[in-house]
Amino acid sequence: MASQFETWSLDREIVLVKLLNHPRAKVFAAWMDPKALAQWFGPTALNIESHEADIREGGVWRFDMVGMFEGKEQRFPNLMRFLEIVPNERIVMDHGTPDPHDPNRFRVTVTFDEQADGKTVLTMRQLHPSRERRQAVIGFGAVEYGLQTLDGLAAWLDGRAKAEAD
């Protein structure tokens, strides 16, 4: 499984970018705080139920995305393994299901670039195991869901800044 992630290939990549009105230390901190992460992460129609959150290099975050679909609650088990964390600069993780042999697991690299005006450009790159898998996740809304996640982060940060100002 590791060998497929040794080479970055544009035909397996999804890139999402968001300009956040906050310094990168605050943006990065929102990723490192398990309680915060569970509040803003994920598509808008889903809630996060965190089961285990050890957010450090070598740690994992095990959680369910939970939502109502056609009148029934559905759960989507997730597991992130944190491979590299460079404070205020980069987070590299594998994201998939709790199945250790998940064939659809993908690599995520998040970078935090602070601008001269104190804003942060967050770039989230996903590398999927195959071109076909990338196409499949785009087909079921991965780009829209990823952008909703980044919008959730922005809203959470804006709410925190407002609360601190009051």
Side-chain angles (χ1 to χ4, degrees):
M1 188 66 117
S3 63
Q4 69 191 10
F5 296 123
E6 288 175 7
T7 326
W8 204 272
S9 173
L10 294 179
D11 66 346
R12 296 186 293 132
E13 180 183 49
I14 295 173
V15 180
L16 305 171
V17 179
K18 180 82 175 171
L19 177 64
L20 299 159
N21 296 320
H22 303 275
R24 75 177 178 173
K26 286 192 176 197
V27 177
F28 181 81
W31 284 83
M32 295 293 98
D33 178 348
K35 289 182 178 150
L37 194 55
Q39 291 176 19
W40 63 260
F41 191 85
T44 55
L46 299 172
N47 293 315
I48 299 296
E49 288 185 10
S50 193
H51 303 295
E52 176 184 2
D54 182 12
I55 302 176
R56 61 175 177 82
E57 274 188 29
V60 299
W61 181 31
R62 190 172 54 82
F63 61 98
D64 290 345
M65 291 186 187
V66 183
M68 294 297 286
F69 297 92
E70 300 175 1
K72 281 179 48 179
E73 181 183 271
Q74 291 192 28
R75 295 179 164 275
F76 304 95
N78 285 260
L79 179 75
M80 286 187 186
R81 292 187 185 285
F82 295 93
L83 306 175
E84 179 185 14
I85 297 175
V86 179
N88 301 321
E89 291 183 21
R90 179 176 55 254
I91 303 170
V92 180
M93 59 201 134
D94 281 351
H95 188 169
T97 69
D99 175 358
H101 304 291
D102 179 1
N104 296 320
R105 176 176 53 98
F106 57 97
R107 175 77 35 94
V108 179
T109 301
V110 181
T111 56
F112 307 82
D113 296 300
E114 191 161 55
Q115 304 302 287
D117 61 3
K119 295 179 182 180
T120 301
V121 175
L122 184 145
T123 305
M124 184 164 44
R125 297 182 120 76
Q126 300 175 3
L127 181 64
H128 291 272
S130 68
R131 181 183 180 283
E132 295 74 25
R133 182 63 186 164
R134 175 188 177 267
Q135 289 304 114
V137 300
I138 288 172
F140 75 64
V143 172
E144 293 84 353
Y145 295 149
L147 292 172
Q148 288 174 14
T149 295
L150 297 182
D151 288 346
L153 171 58
W156 186 86
L157 287 164
D158 291 347
R160 293 282 298 211
K162 185 179 181 322
E164 290 172 4
D166 290 345

Coordinates of all heavy atoms in Angstrom, one line a residue, residues 89-127:
E89 N 3.2 24.6 9.6 CA 3.6 24.4 8.2 C 2.9 23.3 7.4 O 2.3 23.6 6.4 CB 5.1 24.2 8.1 CG 5.9 25.4 8.5 CD 7.4 25.1 8.3 OE1 7.8 24.2 7.5 OE2 8.2 25.8 8.9
R90 N 2.8 22.1 8.0 CA 2.4 21.0 7.2 C 1.9 19.8 8.1 O 2.4 19.6 9.2 CB 3.5 20.5 6.4 CG 3.2 19.3 5.5 CD 4.4 18.9 4.6 NE 5.6 18.6 5.3 CZ 6.7 19.4 5.3 NH1 6.7 20.6 4.7 NH2 7.7 19.1 6.0
I91 N 0.8 19.2 7.6 CA 0.3 17.9 8.2 C 0.2 16.9 7.1 O -0.4 17.2 6.1 CB -1.1 18.1 8.9 CG1 -1.0 19.2 10.0 CG2 -1.6 16.8 9.5 CD1 -2.4 19.6 10.5
V92 N 0.7 15.7 7.3 CA 0.6 14.7 6.3 C -0.1 13.5 7.0 O 0.3 13.1 8.1 CB 1.9 14.2 5.7 CG1 1.7 13.1 4.7 CG2 2.7 15.4 5.1
M93 N -1.2 13.0 6.4 CA -1.9 11.9 7.0 C -2.5 11.0 6.0 O -2.6 11.3 4.8 CB -3.0 12.5 7.9 CG -4.0 13.3 7.2 SD -4.9 14.4 8.3 CE -4.9 15.9 7.3
D94 N -2.8 9.7 6.4 CA -3.5 8.8 5.6 C -4.9 8.8 6.1 O -5.2 8.8 7.3 CB -2.9 7.4 5.6 CG -1.7 7.2 4.7 OD1 -1.4 8.2 4.0 OD2 -1.1 6.2 4.8
H95 N -5.9 8.9 5.2 CA -7.3 8.9 5.6 C -8.1 7.8 4.9 O -8.0 7.6 3.7 CB -7.9 10.3 5.1 CG -9.3 10.5 5.6 ND1 -9.9 11.7 5.5 CD2 -10.2 9.7 6.2 CE1 -11.1 11.7 6.0 NE2 -11.3 10.5 6.4
G96 N -8.8 7.0 5.7 CA -9.6 5.9 5.2 C -10.5 5.4 6.2 O -10.9 6.2 7.1
T97 N -10.8 4.1 6.2 CA -11.7 3.5 7.2 C -10.8 2.9 8.2 O -9.6 2.8 8.0 CB -12.6 2.5 6.5 OG1 -11.8 1.3 6.1 CG2 -13.4 3.0 5.3
P98 N -11.4 2.4 9.3 CA -10.5 1.7 10.3 C -9.9 0.4 9.8 O -9.1 -0.2 10.4 CB -11.5 1.4 11.5 CG -12.6 2.5 11.3 CD -12.7 2.7 9.8
D99 N -10.4 -0.1 8.7 CA -9.8 -1.4 8.1 C -8.4 -1.1 7.7 O -8.0 -0.3 6.9 CB -10.6 -1.8 6.8 CG -10.1 -3.0 6.1 OD1 -9.0 -3.5 6.5 OD2 -10.7 -3.4 5.1
P100 N -7.4 -1.9 8.4 CA -6.0 -1.7 8.1 C -5.6 -2.0 6.6 O -4.6 -1.5 6.2 CB -5.3 -2.6 9.1 CG -6.3 -3.6 9.5 CD -7.7 -3.0 9.3
H101 N -6.5 -2.7 5.9 CA -6.2 -3.0 4.5 C -7.1 -2.2 3.6 O -7.3 -2.7 2.4 CB -6.3 -4.5 4.3 CG -5.4 -5.3 5.2 ND1 -4.0 -5.3 5.1 CD2 -5.7 -6.1 6.2 CE1 -3.5 -6.0 6.1 NE2 -4.5 -6.5 6.8
D102 N -7.6 -1.1 4.0 CA -8.6 -0.3 3.2 C -7.9 0.0 1.8 O -7.0 0.8 1.8 CB -8.9 1.0 4.0 CG -9.9 1.9 3.2 OD1 -10.3 1.5 2.1 OD2 -10.2 2.9 3.7
P103 N -8.5 -0.5 0.7 CA -7.9 -0.2 -0.6 C -8.1 1.2 -1.1 O -7.5 1.6 -2.0 CB -8.6 -1.3 -1.5 CG -9.9 -1.5 -0.8 CD -9.6 -1.4 0.7
N104 N -9.0 1.9 -0.4 CA -9.4 3.2 -0.9 C -8.8 4.3 0.0 O -9.1 5.5 -0.2 CB -10.9 3.4 -0.9 CG -11.5 2.5 -2.0 OD1 -11.0 2.3 -3.0 ND2 -12.6 1.9 -1.6
R105 N -7.9 3.9 0.9 CA -7.2 4.9 1.8 C -6.5 5.9 0.8 O -6.0 5.5 -0.2 CB -6.2 4.2 2.7 CG -5.4 5.1 3.5 CD -4.5 4.2 4.5 NE -3.8 3.2 3.8 CZ -2.5 3.3 3.4 NH1 -1.8 4.5 3.7 NH2 -1.8 2.4 2.8
F106 N -6.4 7.2 1.3 CA -5.7 8.2 0.5 C -4.8 9.0 1.4 O -5.0 9.1 2.6 CB -6.7 9.0 -0.4 CG -7.7 9.8 0.4 CD1 -7.6 11.1 0.8 CD2 -8.9 9.1 0.8 CE1 -8.5 11.8 1.5 CE2 -9.9 9.8 1.5 CZ -9.7 11.1 1.9
R107 N -3.8 9.6 0.8 CA -2.9 10.4 1.4 C -3.3 11.9 1.4 O -3.8 12.4 0.3 CB -1.5 10.3 0.8 CG -0.4 11.1 1.2 CD 0.3 10.7 2.5 NE 0.4 9.3 2.8 CZ 1.5 8.5 2.6 NH1 2.5 9.0 2.0 NH2 1.5 7.3 3.0
V108 N -3.2 12.6 2.5 CA -3.6 14.0 2.5 C -2.4 14.8 3.0 O -1.8 14.5 4.0 CB -4.8 14.2 3.5 CG1 -5.2 15.7 3.5 CG2 -6.0 13.4 3.1
T109 N -2.1 15.9 2.3 CA -1.1 16.8 2.8 C -1.8 18.2 2.9 O -2.3 18.7 1.9 CB 0.1 16.9 1.8 OG1 0.7 15.6 1.7 CG2 1.1 17.9 2.3
V110 N -1.7 18.8 4.1 CA -2.3 20.1 4.3 C -1.1 21.0 4.6 O -0.3 20.7 5.5 CB -3.2 20.1 5.6 CG1 -3.8 21.4 5.8 CG2 -4.3 19.0 5.4
T111 N -1.1 22.1 3.9 CA 0.0 23.2 4.1 C -0.7 24.5 4.5 O -1.8 24.8 4.1 CB 0.8 23.4 2.9 OG1 0.0 23.7 1.8 CG2 1.7 22.1 2.6
F112 N 0.0 25.2 5.3 CA -0.4 26.5 5.9 C 0.6 27.6 5.5 O 1.7 27.6 6.0 CB -0.5 26.4 7.4 CG -1.2 25.2 7.9 CD1 -0.7 23.9 8.0 CD2 -2.6 25.4 8.3 CE1 -1.4 22.8 8.5 CE2 -3.3 24.3 8.8 CZ -2.7 23.0 8.9
D113 N 0.1 28.5 4.6 CA 1.0 29.5 4.1 C 0.5 30.9 4.6 O -0.6 31.3 4.1 CB 1.1 29.5 2.6 CG 1.8 28.2 2.1 OD1 2.9 28.0 2.5 OD2 1.1 27.4 1.4
E114 N 1.2 31.5 5.5 CA 0.8 32.8 6.0 C 1.1 33.9 5.0 O 2.3 34.0 4.5 CB 1.4 33.1 7.4 CG 0.7 34.3 8.0 CD 1.0 34.4 9.5 OE1 2.1 34.3 9.9 OE2 0.0 34.5 10.3
Q115 N 0.2 34.8 4.8 CA 0.4 35.9 3.9 C 0.9 37.1 4.6 O 0.8 37.2 5.9 CB -1.0 36.3 3.2 CG -1.6 35.1 2.4 CD -0.6 34.5 1.4 OE1 -0.4 35.1 0.3 NE2 0.0 33.3 1.7
A116 N 1.4 38.1 3.9 CA 1.9 39.4 4.6 C 0.8 40.1 5.4 O 1.1 40.7 6.4 CB 2.5 40.3 3.5
D117 N -0.5 39.9 5.0 CA -1.6 40.6 5.7 C -2.1 39.8 6.9 O -3.1 40.1 7.5 CB -2.7 40.9 4.8 CG -3.3 39.7 4.1 OD1 -2.9 38.5 4.4 OD2 -4.2 39.8 3.3
G118 N -1.4 38.7 7.3 CA -1.8 37.9 8.4 C -2.8 36.8 8.1 O -3.1 36.0 8.9
K119 N -3.3 36.7 6.9 CA -4.2 35.7 6.4 C -3.4 34.4 6.1 O -2.2 34.5 5.9 CB -5.1 36.1 5.2 CG -6.0 37.3 5.6 CD -6.8 37.7 4.3 CE -7.6 38.9 4.7 NZ -8.4 39.4 3.5
T120 N -4.1 33.3 6.0 CA -3.5 32.0 5.7 C -4.1 31.4 4.5 O -5.3 31.3 4.4 CB -3.6 31.1 6.9 OG1 -2.9 31.7 8.1 CG2 -2.9 29.8 6.7
V121 N -3.2 30.9 3.6 CA -3.7 30.1 2.5 C -3.5 28.6 3.0 O -2.4 28.2 3.2 CB -2.9 30.3 1.2 CG1 -3.4 29.4 0.1 CG2 -3.1 31.8 0.7
L122 N -4.6 27.9 3.1 CA -4.6 26.5 3.4 C -4.8 25.7 2.1 O -5.7 26.0 1.4 CB -5.7 26.2 4.4 CG -5.7 24.7 4.9 CD1 -6.1 24.7 6.3 CD2 -6.6 23.8 4.1
T123 N -3.9 24.8 1.9 CA -3.9 24.0 0.7 C -4.0 22.5 1.2 O -3.2 22.1 2.0 CB -2.7 24.1 -0.2 OG1 -2.6 25.5 -0.6 CG2 -2.9 23.3 -1.5
M124 N -5.1 21.8 0.7 CA -5.3 20.4 1.1 C -5.2 19.6 -0.2 O -6.0 19.7 -1.1 CB -6.6 20.2 1.8 CG -6.8 18.8 2.2 SD -8.1 18.5 3.4 CE -9.5 19.5 2.8
R125 N -4.1 18.8 -0.3 CA -3.9 17.9 -1.4 C -4.2 16.5 -1.0 O -3.7 16.0 0.0 CB -2.4 18.0 -1.8 CG -2.0 19.3 -2.3 CD -0.5 19.2 -2.8 NE -0.4 19.6 -4.1 CZ -0.4 20.9 -4.6 NH1 -0.6 21.8 -3.7 NH2 -0.3 21.1 -5.8
Q126 N -5.0 15.8 -1.8 CA -5.4 14.4 -1.6 C -4.7 13.6 -2.7 O -4.9 14.0 -3.9 CB -6.9 14.2 -1.7 CG -7.7 15.0 -0.6 CD -9.2 14.8 -0.8 OE1 -9.6 14.0 -1.7 NE2 -9.9 15.4 0.0
L127 N -4.1 12.5 -2.4 CA -3.6 11.6 -3.4 C -4.3 10.3 -3.3 O -4.2 9.6 -2.2 CB -2.1 11.4 -3.3 CG -1.4 10.5 -4.3 CD1 -1.5 11.0 -5.7 CD2 0.0 10.2 -3.9

